[in-house]
Amino acid sequence: MSKRSIQLLSPLSYRGLLSARSTSRVIPIDGSWYMPNNPRNPKLEFQTERLPNSKFFDLDGVKDDQSSYPHMLPSLEQFNTAMSQLGLRKDDKLIIYDRVGNFSAPRVAWTFQTFGHDNVYLLNNFPSYQTFAYPMETKEYQHPEPTEYKSTEFDSDAVLSFEQFIDIVSDSAKRQEYNILDARSYGRFTGEDPEPRAGLSSGHAPGAKSLPFSKVLGLNNLFLDKPSLQTLIHDQLKLDQDKRTIVMCGTGVTACILKTALDSVGFNKAGIQVYDGSWTEYAQRAGEDLIVKGKE
């Protein structure tokens, strides 16, 4: 089980990192992505305004292009090619952000870590950064000169396949060994509300607990402080920190918000895995007997 932690960085700390002496470059990465029913265009917004020297990470582009599911991790070769085209280096210090605050950026940060990039930080967060009136870049974006980004590492412990997940949830004894957290809305979890993707059944996997990602975020989508998160995790959800944890959502994006929240309070000692295909894959491949409707 993966015990890598996503590190949170305040806007003030980010500005300090920029001014610190270092042999490594500090590169902001705009990982903005929106649900299909949201008319906003993250690429166009990036072209219009961005953190200085930012590069755009396209979640809809950097993925397994052989998979029928939306955001499955790319192959190591695909990842290296995409990062080379962005002009990144393996020793760059990466500051990941998205325009909502904390929505898709945690997935991007987790992806970099899964492919062995060491210096990855999550800006907590862009709306907060804007309140300080720090510099923004609005000039026309110039595509970078390609580099030779070469990772040789893939952390297989960080991610869970459908076969691994179904083996756990279909066995009542095995699923007792895990905290299984679902980041979708409670209505989708219970099956009362429809999924945003047409034809996909709502509901949840056996043994899963509902933890909508919005519950770990506060004002301006900042992560809740440590005491508030600890109360949520220990007192309300009554999670067992000695158990391994699996996080999932609709397509593997907002599940990484939960992972980041758990990381921030040290609730990762037994390891945390992201079920990459999440509900979009599960609902299409699991049998009806393994899709639970109703409350936990």
Side-chain angles (χ1 to χ4, degrees), residues 178-242:
Y178 293 83
N179 301 304
I180 305 173
L181 302 177
D182 192 321
R184 293 173 301 144
S185 67
Y186 189 65
R188 291 165 64 188
F189 178 88
T190 63
E192 296 173 293
D193 295 340
E195 290 294 311
R197 290 168 178 82
L200 199 66
S201 173
S202 54
H204 61 272
K209 286 180 176 287
S210 175
L211 179 55
F213 70 86
S214 59
K215 286 189 175 292
V216 303
L217 302 175
L219 185 65
N220 285 331
N221 288 324
L222 288 162
F223 280 98
L224 296 178
D225 59 34
K226 190 171 182 177
S228 299
L229 284 173
Q230 288 175 327
T231 296
L232 175 64
I233 292 166
H234 297 292
D235 298 343
Q236 297 179 32
L237 292 171
K238 301 185 184 305
L239 300 183
D240 186 343
Q241 63 182 356
D242 293 325

Side-chain angles (χ1 to χ4, degrees), residues 157-170:
D157 287 337
V159 61
L160 209 62
S161 69
F162 171 78
E163 289 76 16
Q164 291 170 313
F165 186 67
I166 202 78
D167 180 63
I168 293 167
V169 299
S170 61

Side-chain angles (χ1 to χ4, degrees), residues 125-179:
N125 62 17
F126 183 72
S128 180
Y129 178 93
Q130 289 178 303
T131 65
F132 287 96
Y134 289 142
M136 295 293 291
E137 190 170 84
T138 57
K139 64 183 180 182
E140 183 179 356
Y141 178 69
Q142 300 295 319
H143 289 280
E145 288 291 324
T147 56
E148 188 176 355
Y149 186 99
K150 190 173 183 180
S151 174
T152 58
E153 179 183 350
F154 177 76
D155 185 2
S156 59
D157 287 337
V159 61
L160 209 62
S161 69
F162 171 78
E163 289 76 16
Q164 291 170 313
F165 186 67
I166 202 78
D167 180 63
I168 293 167
V169 299
S170 61
D171 186 317
S172 59
K174 285 184 180 179
R175 64 179 181 251
Q176 293 301 317
E177 300 174 7
Y178 293 83
N179 301 304

Side-chain angles (χ1 to χ4, degrees), residues 233-279:
I233 292 166
H234 297 292
D235 298 343
Q236 297 179 32
L237 292 171
K238 301 185 184 305
L239 300 183
D240 186 343
Q241 63 182 356
D242 293 325
K243 290 183 178 181
R244 293 168 287 180
T245 298
I246 299 168
V247 290
M248 63 182 294
C249 56
T251 65
V253 176
T254 59
C256 296
I257 298 176
L258 300 190
K259 173 180 164 39
T260 306
L262 295 173
D263 285 346
S264 72
V265 295
F267 194 88
N268 57 0
K269 294 178 182 177
I272 301 173
Q273 289 178 300
V274 176
Y275 169 30
D276 200 21
S278 279
W279 188 255

